[in-house]
């Protein structure tokens, strides 16, 4: 769906995986719902932009995924093609990105949740470096150089590894997604 709207398909896939794991029944503690995790007002606005009623939009997971791609395209345009800021706007709202600028990636904004969200989708440290722009290859962490000697056997990271387990597995730190019952 991302390619229809000119957004990076890999980034869009990671974004929807982070938002909901593509779960159609996902509901956040804040009230965001569906695979694209839209708040009700944003979902209704996107539905109108797509020529749908809110009822049609919420009844169709396909429309919600397409709406997420459309919304991301619009956020990329609003943020001059910068995926860092577009993803931050998707997560925290364009108004917060406009007000906070680079500060939206700091620990003082939403306890670092937006920074973590961007890093999970674009790769470790992405929130604090230049991110790809629309049409460019994503700035993901480069693979390590091959070792000069035979590698040691792979080991699982220690429990006290510098990377929290939830970030290594792509899980949301906040645990805000719950199954609608």
């Amino acid at each position: 769906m991302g390619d229809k709207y000119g957004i990076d398909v890999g980034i869009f896939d990671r974004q929807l995986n982070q938002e909901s794991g593509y779960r159609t029944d996902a509901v956040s503690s804040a009230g965001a719902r569906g695979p694209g995790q839209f708040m009700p007002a944003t979902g209704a606005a996107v539905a109108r932009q797509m020529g749908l009623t809110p009822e049609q939009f919420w009844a169709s997971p396909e429309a919600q995924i397409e709406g997420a791609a459309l919304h991301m395209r619009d956020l990329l345009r609003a943020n001059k093609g910068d995926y860092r800021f577009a993803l931050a706007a998707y997560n925290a709202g364009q108004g917060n990105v406009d007000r906070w600028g680079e500060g939206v990636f700091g620990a003082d904004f939403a306890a670092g949740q937006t920074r973590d969200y961007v890093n999970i989708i674009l790769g470790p440290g992405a929130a604090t470096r230049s991110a790809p722009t629309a049409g460019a290859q994503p700035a993901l962490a480069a693979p390590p150089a091959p070792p000069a000697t035979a590698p040691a056997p792979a080991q699982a990271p220690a429990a006290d590894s510098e990377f929290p387990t939830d970030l290594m597995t792509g899980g949301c730190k906040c645990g805000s997604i719950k199954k609608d019952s």
Side-chain angles (χ1 to χ4, degrees):
M1 186 59 59
D3 53 349
K4 177 178 177 180
Y5 291 98
I7 61 177
D8 183 284
V9 176
I11 291 174
F12 185 62
D13 179 58
R14 290 189 301 276
Q15 179 183 0
L16 286 184
N17 270 311
Q18 180 59 26
E19 286 292 339
S20 67
Y22 284 93
R23 287 186 23 226
T24 58
D25 63 343
V27 179
S28 78
S29 58
R33 59 189 201 164
Q37 286 295 280
F38 285 111
M39 293 299 289
T42 304
V46 170
R48 283 190 299 276
Q49 189 177 0
M50 295 173 69
L52 301 173
T53 66
E55 294 78 18
Q56 291 169 318
F57 180 78
W58 292 117
S60 171
E62 294 82 10
Q64 293 171 49
I65 291 170
E66 182 169 352
L70 173 67
H71 189 51
M72 189 61 186
R73 180 204 63 195
D74 293 346
L75 292 172
L76 275 165
R77 287 178 177 169
N79 290 284
K80 299 179 176 97
D82 188 317
Y83 274 92
R84 285 184 324 137
F85 285 106
L87 286 165
Y90 195 99
N91 179 257
Q94 186 64 51
N96 282 318
V97 169
D98 292 342
R99 270 190 298 285
W100 283 73
E102 287 284 340
V104 79
F105 303 114
D108 292 338
F109 181 81
Q113 193 273 335
T114 299
R115 176 198 59 225
D116 294 345
Y117 174 84
V118 170
N119 285 339
I120 288 167
I121 295 168
L122 294 180
T128 56
R129 68 174 182 266
S130 293
T133 55
Q137 291 297 317
L140 300 175
T149 61
Q155 295 180 1
D160 61 347
S161 169
E162 66 180 285
F163 298 106
T165 302
D166 59 339
L167 291 179
M168 291 191 306
T169 61
C172 180
K173 271 184 142 173
C174 60
S176 63
I177 306 299
K178 64 179 182 182
K179 187 171 181 173
D180 198 15
S181 28

